[in-house]
Amino acid sequence: ELTDGKNTKSIAGFECKESVVKLKNGEIIHVYYTDEIRIENSNWSNPYYKIKGVLMDFYMERYGITMHLTCKQVLEQKIDDSIFEISLSDSSYKKIPFAELENILNELNPN
């Protein structure tokens, strides 16, 4: 459950708005985001997908580890898409199903 908070704060030079998040276990957390950075749909791949802004101070739980992440600096840079391309003909890479990756990561932290 996500509701707008009343607080704002400056993070890495950006004015950030608060969202109050109620987790499935009932815990309440406060996250901050900015709409001053223009990235469309920046949270598509995380639990905060309903927030329409760039996360600047938030919590993320993955594989039994809870992390509190806070932005320290924002650099505006143009990155060529080719930097993210992986040559599947390169024998040093092995493509595995996502479920197998999940199992490997869960084994690293079984809690």
Side-chain angles (χ1 to χ4, degrees):
E1 185 179 320
L2 176 72
T3 58
D4 291 336
K6 297 176 183 172
N7 299 314
T8 61
K9 68 178 176 178
S10 180
I11 301 173
F14 293 90
E15 187 67 20
C16 297
K17 299 173 184 177
E18 176 187 43
S19 280
V20 180
V21 181
K22 184 176 182 180
L23 303 177
K24 289 180 184 179
N25 67 7
E27 182 181 357
I28 303 291
I29 61 172
H30 301 262
V31 302
Y32 289 86
Y33 67 94
T34 184
D35 54 14
E36 295 176 12
I37 300 173
R38 303 283 186 231
I39 300 176
E40 192 174 325
N41 202 17
S42 63
N43 301 312
W44 67 271
S45 66
N46 67 54
Y48 302 106
Y49 61 89
K50 291 182 180 179
I51 293 178
K52 303 299 182 208
V54 175
L55 295 169
M56 300 293 275
D57 185 331
F58 63 101
Y59 295 84
M60 183 70 68
E61 187 276 327
R62 201 71 175 142
Y63 309 108
I65 299 171
T66 300
M67 299 169 279
H68 179 191
L69 302 142
T70 304
C71 178
K72 298 294 182 196
Q73 183 180 22
V74 175
L75 301 173
E76 186 175 341
Q77 296 178 334
K78 177 82 172 142
I79 306 292
D80 192 291
D81 289 345
S82 66
I83 198 162
F84 298 102
E85 293 175 6
I86 297 173
S87 172
L88 296 179
S89 63
D90 185 337
S91 63
S92 65
Y93 296 107
K94 177 184 173 190
K95 188 174 183 176
I96 62 172
F98 185 74
E100 186 177 336
L101 173 63
E102 288 269 301
N103 288 335
I104 292 168
L105 294 171
N106 279 324
E107 287 175 12
L108 292 173
N109 186 26
N111 294 334

